[in-house]
PDB file of all heavy atoms in Angstrom:
ATOM      1  N   ASN A   1      -5.612 -11.410   6.675  1.00 77.00           N
ATOM      2  CA  ASN A   1      -4.651 -12.457   7.068  1.00 77.00           C
ATOM      3  C   ASN A   1      -4.619 -13.595   6.049  1.00 77.00           C
ATOM      4  O   ASN A   1      -3.550 -14.125   5.726  1.00 77.00           O
ATOM      5  CB  ASN A   1      -4.997 -13.008   8.448  1.00 77.00           C
ATOM      6  CG  ASN A   1      -4.641 -12.047   9.559  1.00 77.00           C
ATOM      7  OD1 ASN A   1      -3.819 -11.169   9.376  1.00 77.00           O
ATOM      8  ND2 ASN A   1      -5.278 -12.204  10.710  1.00 77.00           N
ATOM      9  N   THR A   2      -5.797 -13.985   5.555  1.00 83.00           N
ATOM     10  CA  THR A   2      -5.867 -15.058   4.556  1.00 83.00           C
ATOM     11  C   THR A   2      -5.154 -14.651   3.276  1.00 83.00           C
ATOM     12  O   THR A   2      -4.374 -15.428   2.708  1.00 83.00           O
ATOM     13  CB  THR A   2      -7.329 -15.407   4.241  1.00 83.00           C
ATOM     14  OG1 THR A   2      -7.963 -15.896   5.428  1.00 83.00           O
ATOM     15  CG2 THR A   2      -7.421 -16.473   3.158  1.00 83.00           C
ATOM     16  N   VAL A   3      -5.400 -13.429   2.827  1.00 87.00           N
ATOM     17  CA  VAL A   3      -4.770 -12.936   1.599  1.00 87.00           C
ATOM     18  C   VAL A   3      -3.252 -12.883   1.765  1.00 87.00           C
ATOM     19  O   VAL A   3      -2.501 -13.282   0.870  1.00 87.00           O
ATOM     20  CB  VAL A   3      -5.319 -11.546   1.225  1.00 87.00           C
ATOM     21  CG1 VAL A   3      -4.553 -10.959   0.040  1.00 87.00           C
ATOM     22  CG2 VAL A   3      -6.802 -11.638   0.887  1.00 87.00           C
ATOM     23  N   LEU A   4      -2.799 -12.414   2.919  1.00 89.00           N
ATOM     24  CA  LEU A   4      -1.358 -12.337   3.174  1.00 89.00           C
ATOM     25  C   LEU A   4      -0.735 -13.733   3.199  1.00 89.00           C
ATOM     26  O   LEU A   4       0.352 -13.957   2.638  1.00 89.00           O
ATOM     27  CB  LEU A   4      -1.112 -11.628   4.501  1.00 89.00           C
ATOM     28  CG  LEU A   4       0.360 -11.394   4.893  1.00 89.00           C
ATOM     29  CD1 LEU A   4       1.061 -10.550   3.835  1.00 89.00           C
ATOM     30  CD2 LEU A   4       0.455 -10.736   6.263  1.00 89.00           C
ATOM     31  N   SER A   5      -1.422 -14.700   3.835  1.00 89.00           N
ATOM     32  CA  SER A   5      -0.917 -16.074   3.889  1.00 89.00           C
ATOM     33  C   SER A   5      -0.830 -16.679   2.488  1.00 89.00           C
ATOM     34  O   SER A   5       0.171 -17.312   2.131  1.00 89.00           O
ATOM     35  CB  SER A   5      -1.830 -16.936   4.770  1.00 89.00           C
ATOM     36  OG  SER A   5      -1.824 -16.493   6.110  1.00 89.00           O
ATOM     37  N   TYR A   6      -1.888 -16.489   1.694  1.00 92.00           N
ATOM     38  CA  TYR A   6      -1.888 -17.009   0.324  1.00 92.00           C
ATOM     39  C   TYR A   6      -0.775 -16.365  -0.502  1.00 92.00           C
ATOM     40  O   TYR A   6      -0.139 -17.031  -1.330  1.00 92.00           O
ATOM     41  CB  TYR A   6      -3.248 -16.763  -0.331  1.00 92.00           C
ATOM     42  CG  TYR A   6      -4.252 -17.878  -0.136  1.00 92.00           C
ATOM     43  CD1 TYR A   6      -4.299 -18.592   1.052  1.00 92.00           C
ATOM     44  CD2 TYR A   6      -5.165 -18.224  -1.134  1.00 92.00           C
ATOM     45  CE1 TYR A   6      -5.212 -19.614   1.237  1.00 92.00           C
ATOM     46  CE2 TYR A   6      -6.086 -19.249  -0.956  1.00 92.00           C
ATOM     47  CZ  TYR A   6      -6.104 -19.938   0.229  1.00 92.00           C
ATOM     48  OH  TYR A   6      -7.008 -20.957   0.421  1.00 92.00           O
ATOM     49  N   ALA A   7      -0.546 -15.070  -0.288  1.00 92.00           N
ATOM     50  CA  ALA A   7       0.513 -14.374  -1.024  1.00 92.00           C
ATOM     51  C   ALA A   7       1.873 -14.988  -0.698  1.00 92.00           C
ATOM     52  O   ALA A   7       2.695 -15.234  -1.604  1.00 92.00           O
ATOM     53  CB  ALA A   7       0.501 -12.887  -0.674  1.00 92.00           C
ATOM     54  N   ASN A   8       2.112 -15.255   0.567  1.00 92.00           N
ATOM     55  CA  ASN A   8       3.378 -15.875   0.983  1.00 92.00           C
ATOM     56  C   ASN A   8       3.513 -17.295   0.434  1.00 92.00           C
ATOM     57  O   ASN A   8       4.589 -17.713  -0.007  1.00 92.00           O
ATOM     58  CB  ASN A   8       3.470 -15.903   2.509  1.00 92.00           C
ATOM     59  CG  ASN A   8       3.627 -14.515   3.102  1.00 92.00           C
ATOM     60  OD1 ASN A   8       4.127 -13.611   2.445  1.00 92.00           O
ATOM     61  ND2 ASN A   8       3.188 -14.339   4.341  1.00 92.00           N
ATOM     62  N   ASP A   9       2.390 -18.048   0.454  1.00 94.00           N
ATOM     63  CA  ASP A   9       2.410 -19.424  -0.053  1.00 94.00           C
ATOM     64  C   ASP A   9       2.753 -19.459  -1.540  1.00 94.00           C
ATOM     65  O   ASP A   9       3.559 -20.278  -1.994  1.00 94.00           O
ATOM     66  CB  ASP A   9       1.054 -20.092   0.175  1.00 94.00           C
ATOM     67  CG  ASP A   9       0.738 -20.284   1.652  1.00 94.00           C
ATOM     68  OD1 ASP A   9       1.692 -20.329   2.454  1.00 94.00           O
ATOM     69  OD2 ASP A   9      -0.451 -20.376   1.993  1.00 94.00           O
ATOM     70  N   LEU A  10       2.136 -18.560  -2.307  1.00 95.00           N
ATOM     71  CA  LEU A  10       2.363 -18.543  -3.754  1.00 95.00           C
ATOM     72  C   LEU A  10       3.761 -18.017  -4.095  1.00 95.00           C
ATOM     73  O   LEU A  10       4.383 -18.464  -5.063  1.00 95.00           O
ATOM     74  CB  LEU A  10       1.284 -17.697  -4.443  1.00 95.00           C
ATOM     75  CG  LEU A  10      -0.129 -18.280  -4.353  1.00 95.00           C
ATOM     76  CD1 LEU A  10      -1.145 -17.317  -4.945  1.00 95.00           C
ATOM     77  CD2 LEU A  10      -0.210 -19.635  -5.061  1.00 95.00           C
ATOM     78  N   GLU A  11       4.257 -17.094  -3.279  1.00 93.00           N
ATOM     79  CA  GLU A  11       5.618 -16.604  -3.477  1.00 93.00           C
ATOM     80  C   GLU A  11       6.620 -17.739  -3.270  1.00 93.00           C
ATOM     81  O   GLU A  11       7.588 -17.887  -4.028  1.00 93.00           O
ATOM     82  CB  GLU A  11       5.905 -15.469  -2.492  1.00 93.00           C
ATOM     83  CG  GLU A  11       7.288 -14.850  -2.663  1.00 93.00           C
ATOM     84  CD  GLU A  11       7.551 -13.718  -1.684  1.00 93.00           C
ATOM     85  OE1 GLU A  11       6.591 -13.269  -1.028  1.00 93.00           O
ATOM     86  OE2 GLU A  11       8.713 -13.301  -1.576  1.00 93.00           O
ATOM     87  N   GLN A  12       6.361 -18.573  -2.265  1.00 94.00           N
ATOM     88  CA  GLN A  12       7.243 -19.713  -2.010  1.00 94.00           C
ATOM     89  C   GLN A  12       7.168 -20.722  -3.152  1.00 94.00           C
ATOM     90  O   GLN A  12       8.183 -21.306  -3.561  1.00 94.00           O
ATOM     91  CB  GLN A  12       6.861 -20.381  -0.688  1.00 94.00           C
ATOM     92  CG  GLN A  12       7.841 -21.456  -0.243  1.00 94.00           C
ATOM     93  CD  GLN A  12       7.480 -22.057   1.095  1.00 94.00           C
ATOM     94  OE1 GLN A  12       6.358 -21.918   1.576  1.00 94.00           O
ATOM     95  NE2 GLN A  12       8.439 -22.729   1.725  1.00 94.00           N
ATOM     96  N   MET A  13       5.967 -20.927  -3.687  1.00 95.00           N
ATOM     97  CA  MET A  13       5.800 -21.830  -4.819  1.00 95.00           C
ATOM     98  C   MET A  13       6.595 -21.339  -6.024  1.00 95.00           C
ATOM     99  O   MET A  13       7.274 -22.116  -6.712  1.00 95.00           O
ATOM    100  CB  MET A  13       4.320 -21.947  -5.180  1.00 95.00           C
ATOM    101  CG  MET A  13       4.043 -22.863  -6.380  1.00 95.00           C
ATOM    102  SD  MET A  13       2.376 -22.658  -7.066  1.00 95.00           S
ATOM    103  CE  MET A  13       2.542 -21.089  -7.930  1.00 95.00           C
ATOM    104  N   VAL A  14       6.513 -20.020  -6.285  1.00 94.00           N
ATOM    105  CA  VAL A  14       7.225 -19.433  -7.422  1.00 94.00           C
ATOM    106  C   VAL A  14       8.740 -19.557  -7.242  1.00 94.00           C
ATOM    107  O   VAL A  14       9.464 -19.848  -8.196  1.00 94.00           O
ATOM    108  CB  VAL A  14       6.811 -17.955  -7.604  1.00 94.00           C
ATOM    109  CG1 VAL A  14       7.753 -17.234  -8.570  1.00 94.00           C
ATOM    110  CG2 VAL A  14       5.373 -17.868  -8.116  1.00 94.00           C
ATOM    111  N   GLU A  15       9.205 -19.372  -6.016  1.00 93.00           N
ATOM    112  CA  GLU A  15      10.643 -19.509  -5.741  1.00 93.00           C
ATOM    113  C   GLU A  15      11.126 -20.927  -6.042  1.00 93.00           C
ATOM    114  O   GLU A  15      12.248 -21.130  -6.523  1.00 93.00           O
ATOM    115  CB  GLU A  15      10.934 -19.170  -4.276  1.00 93.00           C
ATOM    116  CG  GLU A  15      10.869 -17.682  -3.962  1.00 93.00           C
ATOM    117  CD  GLU A  15      11.123 -17.394  -2.495  1.00 93.00           C
ATOM    118  OE1 GLU A  15      11.411 -18.358  -1.740  1.00 93.00           O
ATOM    119  OE2 GLU A  15      11.024 -16.228  -2.093  1.00 93.00           O
ATOM    120  N   PHE A  16      10.265 -21.905  -5.791  1.00 94.00           N
ATOM    121  CA  PHE A  16      10.657 -23.306  -5.972  1.00 94.00           C
ATOM    122  C   PHE A  16      10.424 -23.789  -7.404  1.00 94.00           C
ATOM    123  O   PHE A  16      11.255 -24.518  -7.961  1.00 94.00           O
ATOM    124  CB  PHE A  16       9.870 -24.187  -4.999  1.00 94.00           C
ATOM    125  CG  PHE A  16      10.353 -25.606  -4.923  1.00 94.00           C
ATOM    126  CD1 PHE A  16      11.410 -25.953  -4.077  1.00 94.00           C
ATOM    127  CD2 PHE A  16       9.770 -26.611  -5.685  1.00 94.00           C
ATOM    128  CE1 PHE A  16      11.875 -27.275  -4.007  1.00 94.00           C
ATOM    129  CE2 PHE A  16      10.214 -27.916  -5.623  1.00 94.00           C
ATOM    130  CZ  PHE A  16      11.269 -28.248  -4.790  1.00 94.00           C
ATOM    131  N   LEU A  17       9.297 -23.383  -8.008  1.00 94.00           N
ATOM    132  CA  LEU A  17       8.902 -23.931  -9.309  1.00 94.00           C
ATOM    133  C   LEU A  17       8.997 -22.934 -10.463  1.00 94.00           C
ATOM    134  O   LEU A  17       8.858 -23.317 -11.624  1.00 94.00           O
ATOM    135  CB  LEU A  17       7.449 -24.448  -9.236  1.00 94.00           C
ATOM    136  CG  LEU A  17       7.190 -25.598  -8.262  1.00 94.00           C
ATOM    137  CD1 LEU A  17       5.695 -25.930  -8.227  1.00 94.00           C
ATOM    138  CD2 LEU A  17       7.991 -26.835  -8.648  1.00 94.00           C
ATOM    139  N   GLY A  18       9.232 -21.656 -10.152  1.00 92.00           N
ATOM    140  CA  GLY A  18       9.251 -20.656 -11.208  1.00 92.00           C
ATOM    141  C   GLY A  18       7.865 -20.100 -11.474  1.00 92.00           C
ATOM    142  O   GLY A  18       6.872 -20.553 -10.902  1.00 92.00           O
ATOM    143  N   ASP A  19       7.785 -19.108 -12.372  1.00 89.00           N
ATOM    144  CA  ASP A  19       6.500 -18.442 -12.619  1.00 89.00           C
ATOM    145  C   ASP A  19       5.925 -18.711 -14.017  1.00 89.00           C
ATOM    146  O   ASP A  19       5.052 -17.988 -14.489  1.00 89.00           O
ATOM    147  CB  ASP A  19       6.620 -16.929 -12.381  1.00 89.00           C
ATOM    148  CG  ASP A  19       7.611 -16.268 -13.313  1.00 89.00           C
ATOM    149  OD1 ASP A  19       8.190 -16.968 -14.171  1.00 89.00           O
ATOM    150  OD2 ASP A  19       7.803 -15.047 -13.190  1.00 89.00           O
ATOM    151  N   ASP A  20       6.425 -19.750 -14.672  1.00 91.00           N
ATOM    152  CA  ASP A  20       5.800 -20.173 -15.934  1.00 91.00           C
ATOM    153  C   ASP A  20       4.686 -21.152 -15.585  1.00 91.00           C
ATOM    154  O   ASP A  20       4.834 -22.376 -15.695  1.00 91.00           O
ATOM    155  CB  ASP A  20       6.838 -20.823 -16.849  1.00 91.00           C
ATOM    156  CG  ASP A  20       6.266 -21.153 -18.225  1.00 91.00           C
ATOM    157  OD1 ASP A  20       5.089 -20.819 -18.461  1.00 91.00           O
ATOM    158  OD2 ASP A  20       6.987 -21.762 -19.038  1.00 91.00           O
ATOM    159  N   PHE A  21       3.555 -20.616 -15.158  1.00 93.00           N
ATOM    160  CA  PHE A  21       2.487 -21.436 -14.579  1.00 93.00           C
ATOM    161  C   PHE A  21       1.927 -22.460 -15.557  1.00 93.00           C
ATOM    162  O   PHE A  21       1.496 -23.537 -15.158  1.00 93.00           O
ATOM    163  CB  PHE A  21       1.364 -20.538 -14.047  1.00 93.00           C
ATOM    164  CG  PHE A  21       1.835 -19.548 -13.027  1.00 93.00           C
ATOM    165  CD1 PHE A  21       1.560 -18.194 -13.166  1.00 93.00           C
ATOM    166  CD2 PHE A  21       2.560 -19.955 -11.928  1.00 93.00           C
ATOM    167  CE1 PHE A  21       1.994 -17.273 -12.228  1.00 93.00           C
ATOM    168  CE2 PHE A  21       3.000 -19.047 -10.972  1.00 93.00           C
ATOM    169  CZ  PHE A  21       2.720 -17.699 -11.128  1.00 93.00           C
ATOM    170  N   ALA A  22       1.952 -22.143 -16.839  1.00 92.00           N
ATOM    171  CA  ALA A  22       1.402 -23.067 -17.841  1.00 92.00           C
ATOM    172  C   ALA A  22       2.230 -24.341 -17.972  1.00 92.00           C
ATOM    173  O   ALA A  22       1.722 -25.370 -18.430  1.00 92.00           O
ATOM    174  CB  ALA A  22       1.299 -22.357 -19.193  1.00 92.00           C
ATOM    175  N   SER A  23       3.498 -24.284 -17.558  1.00 93.00           N
ATOM    176  CA  SER A  23       4.376 -25.456 -17.708  1.00 93.00           C
ATOM    177  C   SER A  23       4.462 -26.298 -16.434  1.00 93.00           C
ATOM    178  O   SER A  23       5.080 -27.365 -16.440  1.00 93.00           O
ATOM    179  CB  SER A  23       5.785 -25.005 -18.117  1.00 93.00           C
ATOM    180  OG  SER A  23       6.408 -24.322 -17.043  1.00 93.00           O
ATOM    181  N   ILE A  24       3.847 -25.825 -15.340  1.00 94.00           N
ATOM    182  CA  ILE A  24       3.917 -26.567 -14.074  1.00 94.00           C
ATOM    183  C   ILE A  24       3.020 -27.807 -14.157  1.00 94.00           C
ATOM    184  O   ILE A  24       1.849 -27.718 -14.522  1.00 94.00           O
ATOM    185  CB  ILE A  24       3.495 -25.671 -12.892  1.00 94.00           C
ATOM    186  CG1 ILE A  24       4.527 -24.557 -12.693  1.00 94.00           C
ATOM    187  CG2 ILE A  24       3.365 -26.494 -11.601  1.00 94.00           C
ATOM    188  CD1 ILE A  24       4.177 -23.563 -11.590  1.00 94.00           C
ATOM    189  N   LYS A  25       3.589 -28.965 -13.822  1.00 94.00           N
ATOM    190  CA  LYS A  25       2.863 -30.234 -13.917  1.00 94.00           C
ATOM    191  C   LYS A  25       2.549 -30.765 -12.520  1.00 94.00           C
ATOM    192  O   LYS A  25       3.072 -30.279 -11.513  1.00 94.00           O
ATOM    193  CB  LYS A  25       3.689 -31.269 -14.682  1.00 94.00           C
ATOM    194  CG  LYS A  25       4.089 -30.837 -16.082  1.00 94.00           C
ATOM    195  CD  LYS A  25       4.885 -31.935 -16.749  1.00 94.00           C
ATOM    196  CE  LYS A  25       5.344 -31.532 -18.141  1.00 94.00           C
ATOM    197  NZ  LYS A  25       6.294 -30.399 -18.116  1.00 94.00           N
ATOM    198  N   GLN A  26       1.712 -31.806 -12.488  1.00 93.00           N
ATOM    199  CA  GLN A  26       1.369 -32.446 -11.215  1.00 93.00           C
ATOM    200  C   GLN A  26       2.620 -32.934 -10.496  1.00 93.00           C
ATOM    201  O   GLN A  26       2.752 -32.787  -9.274  1.00 93.00           O
ATOM    202  CB  GLN A  26       0.413 -33.620 -11.461  1.00 93.00           C
ATOM    203  CG  GLN A  26       0.030 -34.368 -10.178  1.00 93.00           C
ATOM    204  CD  GLN A  26      -0.857 -35.568 -10.455  1.00 93.00           C
ATOM    205  OE1 GLN A  26      -1.595 -35.585 -11.423  1.00 93.00           O
ATOM    206  NE2 GLN A  26      -0.767 -36.575  -9.608  1.00 93.00           N
TER     207      GLN A  26
END
């Protein structure tokens, strides 16, 4: 359940901020 929740959370983050993780700022 924790892994599934984290997967959904990170998918939502990527949808909002994109997947260029090195360029994401505070």
Side-chain angles (χ1 to χ4, degrees):
N1 286 339
T2 298
V3 173
L4 183 59
S5 296
Y6 270 36
N8 291 334
D9 294 336
L10 294 175
E11 182 180 348
Q12 188 177 17
M13 179 195 75
V14 167
E15 286 178 3
F16 190 85
L17 297 176
D19 62 2
D20 186 3
F21 303 127
S23 69
I24 293 177
K25 303 181 182 65
Q26 179 183 332

